[in-house]
Amino acid sequence: MSSGFIETGLSNQASHIHRALASLQEELEAIDSYHQRVDVSDDESLKAILVRNRDDEMEHASMLMEWLRRALPGFDLQLRKFLFTTDPIAALAEGGGPPAAIERGLGIGNLK
Ligand SMILES: [Fe+2]
């Protein structure tokens, strides 16, 4: 695990956030490893397993991102700004205005 520098004397919440971020890093690395193997595999039955494993890692990463969205101040705002929009990503970063996703209302739980 390459979780980087860890301060001493962290609060419980900061320790939890560190664990979640380190775990997310590991899940993202696993996605990358499986995706590379999928890309080069020419055995279709092995490729199918690797695709499933890669997608499982995406599920793990997504759960951690959601936990972080709830726990890490500021993460929710950034995710609302950049996710689930078809607007040009760089323009969202440069715009500085209210995030389009927030303006539209995310309607969490609303599948309309
Ligand atoms: Fe995983």
Side-chain angles (χ1 to χ4, degrees):
M1 179 171 96
S2 58
S3 57
F5 181 76
I6 304 170
E7 293 282 350
T8 57
L10 289 177
S11 66
N12 279 344
Q13 183 64 3
S15 295
H16 294 317
I17 288 170
H18 171 73
R19 290 184 194 104
L21 288 168
S23 297
L24 176 59
Q25 180 179 357
E26 293 166 4
E27 300 297 351
L28 294 173
E29 290 170 356
I31 292 167
D32 184 41
S33 295
Y34 279 120
H35 190 66
Q36 289 184 49
R37 293 169 192 159
V38 166
D39 190 59
V40 298
S41 177
D42 59 2
D43 182 305
E44 290 305 314
S45 62
L46 174 59
K47 183 178 276 199
I49 294 167
L50 296 171
V51 164
R52 182 184 174 123
N53 290 356
R54 179 199 62 198
D55 293 352
D56 282 349
E57 303 301 350
M58 289 181 191
E59 180 182 49
H60 302 164
S62 297
M63 288 189 290
L64 287 161
M65 288 180 66
E66 175 59 13
W67 188 91
L68 286 161
R69 183 191 69 78
R70 297 177 189 185
L72 182 56
F75 213 160
D76 178 75
L77 177 65
Q78 296 304 324
L79 293 175
R80 288 178 186 272
K81 183 174 183 178
F82 289 103
L83 297 185
F84 307 110
T85 175
T86 56
D87 297 340
I89 297 168
L92 291 172
E94 296 163 359
I102 292 174
E103 285 184 332
R104 288 192 306 269
L106 285 178
I108 293 172
N110 181 354
L111 298 177
K112 289 183 184 175

